[in-house]
Amino acid sequence: MSSKRGRSPLEIDNDISRITPTFDEEEKGILRVVQMGGSQALDHIADYNEDVGRICTYCKEAISTSDHIRWVCKHFDPVRRE
């Protein structure tokens, strides 16, 4: 026997995960990255997934933390300067 209360979280999750057609391509891309956990650095992911390394896959020179990726990683120097 299924109750409406038991189905509610799945329906809410379905509604929240939809991408509105009024978003432009950049907004849709940002939303997809956030939905996939793309804002997590490898150092954090490695805490719960032993198959993931902690070293930055962009520069391969340091531990991949959010601060490293945003402010230190040499790979993103041109973007930060722009």
Side-chain angles (χ1 to χ4, degrees):
M1 184 162 126
S2 177
S3 71
K4 186 173 182 178
R5 179 179 287 177
R7 289 190 311 267
S8 293
L10 295 175
E11 292 168 1
I12 291 169
D13 185 48
N14 186 30
D15 290 343
I16 291 173
S17 64
R18 288 189 194 148
I19 297 175
T20 180
T22 59
F23 281 1
D24 64 28
E25 288 306 308
E26 182 178 12
E27 292 168 325
K28 289 177 184 178
I30 291 168
L31 184 55
R32 286 185 185 112
V33 168
V34 171
Q35 287 175 333
M36 292 184 299
S39 62
Q40 293 182 2
L42 293 178
D43 189 46
H44 179 71
I45 296 170
D47 287 341
Y48 59 86
N49 185 341
E50 63 186 28
D51 295 330
V52 175
R54 296 181 186 276
I55 299 298
C56 177
T57 55
Y58 298 106
C59 70
K60 297 178 180 31
E61 296 179 3
I63 300 291
S64 176
T65 63
S66 296
D67 285 344
H68 168 76
I69 292 169
R70 287 185 188 115
W71 308 112
V72 179
C73 185
K74 292 177 184 177
H75 178 81
F76 294 105
D77 274 346
V79 175
R80 286 191 291 270
R81 290 177 188 185
E82 188 179 299

